[in-house]
Amino acid sequence: VLDMVRTSNRTQMRDEQAVFVSATLPKLIRERIIRRFPDVVHVTTPSLHRAPQRLTQTFIDVSKDYQGHRLNALSFVLRTAATDKHLIIFCNSKAHANLVYRQLYKRGIPSLLLAGPNAERKTRSKRADVQTKTADTEPVEAAIAEGEDVSPEVDDLWEKETWFAGQEDVYAAIDNAAEVDSPKEAVEPVSGADVGDLEAQLPAFNRAEVLQAFMSADPIPAHLLPPVAAPAEVSDVDMGALSARRKILVCTDLGSRGLDTTCVTHVVLFDFPTTAIDYLHRAGRTARAGGRGKVTALVGKKDRRLAEQIRLAIRQGGTIH
């Protein structure tokens, strides 16, 4: 994009001025900016790449403390966080988010899910349906004449009708790039979880409705709960009361940027992020606007190196990058 702008400006003999604005500045991006704009002036705050001072951060070694059972560790964290009214649980993949969402309900803990396709997509592709009718082009031409959209469906989860109005392109990139799972990749199993929950179809919810339910003091609407059985000892009335008393949002990195989460007092990292920058974004969902907050990270064997680097930076008061 920068090359295109620069070429256009040179062609039209126009001066150019570039301003880069970002909540975080990964080393690779910084180096590329300096290489392309060697005279760039950096203006940063002292808190860049630092966790908020009023944020309490806890790291739990799942392999040592829970024999690798990440779900049991999560259940313990939620039981000991009974006073927190708004919590966010982050997962690295949509499959893991859906699994946690279903498993929590089976354990008597209702939650909301922010992952996967948005239910409010007003424009749907007609090409596949039209082309199955006949091999010639007449049905396609007829569909165009009727004003139908026959363009190929693009896996873009953020269209103009989404609740992130004005930021669709940015969050489309986040949605596609941040999710580490894909249909071609094997999803990492979770100890103690049902295989059926790991492979369950991802529901399509209206994201605006999910967020509204998360912020509301009312019980979670039934259609936003997973289609699984709750524990026999917990009645529907009890589940409703539980969902009104404490709101839990299970999400991917879809929820790590751009949301108003000043009410969130506790962030739980069910899956440890793959980069320090992602850790900062997830942790930054709480302790906002000078408030207090907690982050509890579940650390597996493969996460220990990055987790230790982050812990060392926190202890020394240095930057996390």
Side-chain angles (χ1 to χ4, degrees), residues 12 35 64 81 85 111 146-147 159 161 175 181 207 216 229 242 248 276 281 292 297-298 306:
Q12 301 181 41
R35 188 172 1 4
K64 291 181 178 179
K85 304 302 181 184
S111 64
E146 294 176 4
E159 293 181 320
E161 297 82 14
D175 200 15
D181 62 321
R207 291 169 178 165
S216 172
L242 288 171
I248 299 174
H281 279 294
R292 294 185 179 277
L298 306 186
L306 177 58

Side-chain angles (χ1 to χ4, degrees), residues 27-244:
K27 183 179 179 180
L28 179 61
I29 301 299
R30 182 176 183 275
E31 291 175 350
R32 288 184 177 179
I33 291 175
I34 293 175
R35 188 172 1 4
R36 290 177 179 270
F37 300 88
D39 298 327
V40 67
V41 177
H42 296 270
V43 180
T44 61
T45 68
S47 60
L48 179 66
H49 294 176
R50 299 175 189 269
Q53 294 183 352
R54 296 167 68 87
L55 178 66
T56 302
Q57 299 169 85
T58 303
F59 297 80
I60 296 177
D61 193 315
V62 177
S63 300
K64 291 181 178 179
D65 301 334
Y66 292 90
Q67 293 73 50
H69 286 263
R70 200 173 287 264
L71 284 168
N72 289 346
L74 176 62
S75 296
F76 171 79
V77 171
L78 295 180
R79 285 198 305 271
T80 56
T83 59
D84 293 308
K85 304 302 181 184
H86 291 85
L87 300 89
I88 295 181
I89 301 174
F90 280 105
C91 301
N92 286 353
S93 69
K94 290 177 285 189
H96 276 194
N98 194 27
L99 178 143
V100 170
Y101 166 68
R102 295 168 64 94
Q103 283 284 318
L104 287 180
Y105 195 81
K106 291 181 178 180
R107 297 178 182 220
I109 305 174
S111 64
L112 291 153
L113 178 67
L114 184 66
N118 188 11
E120 294 299 301
R121 299 186 65 183
K122 297 181 181 179
T123 304
R124 302 294 296 179
S125 171
K126 306 292 183 180
R127 182 179 293 276
D129 293 336
V130 171
Q131 288 186 339
T132 55
K133 296 177 182 178
T134 179
D136 58 38
T137 60
E138 291 181 1
V140 178
E141 293 172 354
I144 294 175
E146 294 176 4
E148 295 185 9
D149 176 18
V150 295
S151 60
E153 183 167 355
V154 179
D155 187 20
D156 179 359
L157 304 182
W158 299 93
E159 293 181 320
K160 296 296 182 183
E161 297 82 14
T162 62
W163 47 274
F164 273 109
Q167 305 182 65
E168 297 83 1
D169 293 340
V170 175
Y171 283 90
I174 293 173
D175 200 15
N176 292 330
E179 306 287 347
V180 299
D181 62 321
S182 69
K184 297 181 180 180
E185 297 178 351
V187 180
E188 181 182 357
V190 177
S191 297
D194 296 337
V195 176
D197 287 333
L198 188 61
E199 299 175 350
Q201 181 178 357
L202 194 68
F205 294 135
N206 181 327
R207 291 169 178 165
E209 188 178 10
V210 170
L211 280 184
Q212 184 177 6
F214 180 61
M215 302 296 183
S216 172
D218 298 327
I220 297 175
H223 68 279
L224 294 180
L225 295 172
V228 297
E233 64 274 12
V234 182
S235 67
D236 292 341
V237 175
D238 291 335
M239 289 295 275
L242 288 171
S243 71

Side-chain angles (χ1 to χ4, degrees), residues 48-51 312-320:
L48 179 66
H49 294 176
R50 299 175 189 269
L312 181 62
I314 294 171
R315 288 197 299 268
Q316 296 179 345
T319 58
I320 301 174

